[in-house]
Amino acid sequence: MTGAPLIELEHVSKVFGTGTGAVTAIDDLSLGIEAGQIFGVIGYSGAGKSTLVRLINALEPVTSGRVLVDGVDLSTLGERELRTVRAGIGMIFQQFNLLRSRTVFGNVAYPLKIAGWAKEERRRRVAELLNFVGIAEKAWSYPDQLSGGQKQRVGIARALATNPKILLADESTSALDPDTTAEVLRLLKRVNSELGVTIVVITHEMDVVREIADRVAVLDSGRLVEEGTVYDVFSAPKSETAQRFVNTVLRETPEGADLRRIRSRHGGRLIAARVHDAGRLGAVLSDAVGRHGVRFEIVYGGITTLSGRSFGGLTLELIGETSDVDALVAELRTTTEIEEIAA
């Protein structure tokens, strides 16, 4: 870590209500987000993701702990100073939150008008942003005339209007189809790489994290249960919550109908191998027949690449004498994680 994080939470808790009706939304959470990162925050419904967003942009005060943005403790600021902080934090939303009575141009210009920009400066800035997000031809259309992807592009342009350092994307692709989601994520990558904006992506979709984020935090019931590079969390999730999320993306071990189908076609011994380095596993397998007299077939799973490194899971059928298969499995265990799949 180089220097202080741009966003830092120190032992933050947020409790709504009092007494027996009190609900803890964020529970003793500490986290740092570096300038220039795309940082993913993932969790199931009720994990505290949306509350976390409202703490970062100072729409909610902490119950205890500190939230620092660019080194400034938000709890020490008055309302006028907080408005200045919020002006440096852009927001995009799941349901777009566009003003239906204003054109695309008017929606993007609105925060500039509130901020006191002169009319000609607003016109130039809006034109620049609409070109950047690829929707200049829709400048005089109204939100109801736009597709979901076009609406989200307008939302991104509006969020960038006042040149924020930070962009908070709260479930910003959840209402979009897969192709449109991919387009929006590519645009967010451009925002990060070309404009240098730090992006915090709040989501319940692990595919979004895999596609766009540098690091990821996993929340469960308001607590931080895991945090690390996207590669580390995907390739070796430590918490049960992270494992559940990763399994929605990486189908490493067959279950239910898939397992029954495989069993009906393959009578050998089945093992699931978690792959951190495909080359090491491949070297053992390629020599398996010669040294152990065992044949193998890959019957399920796959390997993916993230940050230039491979990981994933393969289910293998091993065919041979029991003692030979035992010897091969023992050797595989020295290089990778092996799970025997029961009959």
Side-chain angles (χ1 to χ4, degrees), residues 67-324:
V67 177
L68 296 96
V69 175
D70 209 6
V72 177
D73 182 354
L74 300 186
S75 66
T76 66
L77 303 181
E79 185 56 36
R80 172 179 284 185
E81 295 165 309
L82 286 175
R83 283 198 296 270
T84 301
V85 170
R86 292 184 195 118
I89 302 176
M91 281 286 301
I92 56 175
F93 307 90
Q94 178 180 0
Q95 298 300 332
F96 320 122
N97 288 14
L98 301 180
L99 300 169
R100 296 177 64 186
S101 62
R102 291 178 181 262
T103 63
V104 166
F105 186 99
N107 269 276
V108 179
Y110 185 70
L112 298 173
K113 186 175 182 179
I114 295 298
W117 287 44
K119 185 174 182 180
E120 185 59 27
E121 291 176 325
R122 294 201 304 266
R123 187 195 64 78
R124 283 197 299 267
R125 180 61 175 160
V126 173
E128 175 186 17
L129 288 167
L130 293 182
N131 274 306
F132 181 82
V133 302
I135 201 169
E137 74 281 2
K138 298 291 185 180
W140 307 113
S141 298
Y142 287 87
D144 287 348
Q145 298 171 305
L146 305 179
S147 68
Q150 290 169 336
K151 290 176 183 178
Q152 197 56 288
R153 287 175 181 271
V154 178
I156 293 170
R158 180 183 59 185
L160 296 173
T162 56
N163 294 302
K165 287 185 177 182
I166 298 166
L167 181 62
L168 303 180
D170 190 4
E171 298 284 7
S172 58
T173 60
S174 296
L176 305 177
D177 62 63
D179 288 343
T180 307
T181 291
E183 293 174 3
V184 169
L185 294 180
R186 284 194 293 271
L187 177 56
L188 290 177
K189 284 184 178 180
R190 284 186 57 218
V191 170
N192 174 252
S193 63
E194 297 180 24
L195 305 181
V197 176
T198 302
I199 302 178
V200 182
V201 178
I202 308 296
T203 185
H204 65 275
E205 299 172 292
M206 204 65 174
D207 263 331
V208 170
V209 170
R210 178 172 65 172
E211 178 62 29
I212 195 173
D214 304 309
R215 296 183 69 85
V216 59
V218 184
L219 301 190
D220 189 359
S221 300
R223 298 188 67 85
L224 177 67
V225 296
E226 191 159 348
E227 191 266 334
T229 68
V230 172
Y231 179 86
D232 287 344
V233 172
F234 263 84
S235 63
K238 297 178 179 63
S239 65
E240 181 181 345
T241 304
Q243 289 168 9
R244 287 166 62 196
F245 273 116
V246 170
N247 287 339
T248 65
V249 179
L250 303 178
R251 300 288 184 177
E252 298 179 346
T253 306
E255 299 176 343
D258 285 333
L259 180 56
R260 289 191 294 272
R261 174 181 54 78
I262 290 169
R263 281 292 182 200
S264 69
R265 299 177 183 176
H266 302 276
R269 192 155 147 195
L270 297 182
I271 64 166
R274 181 178 285 275
V275 180
H276 298 289
D277 183 339
R280 292 175 62 193
L281 178 62
V284 175
L285 290 174
S286 64
D287 213 17
V289 174
R291 287 186 293 100
H292 298 289
V294 175
R295 293 183 294 114
F296 73 88
E297 183 176 349
I298 298 172
V299 298
Y300 193 83
I303 296 172
T304 191
T305 300
L306 191 61
S307 303
R309 301 160 69 189
S310 59
F311 69 96
L314 299 174
T315 296
L316 309 173
E317 178 192 20
L318 305 179
I319 305 165
E321 296 295 329
T322 300
S323 59
D324 295 332

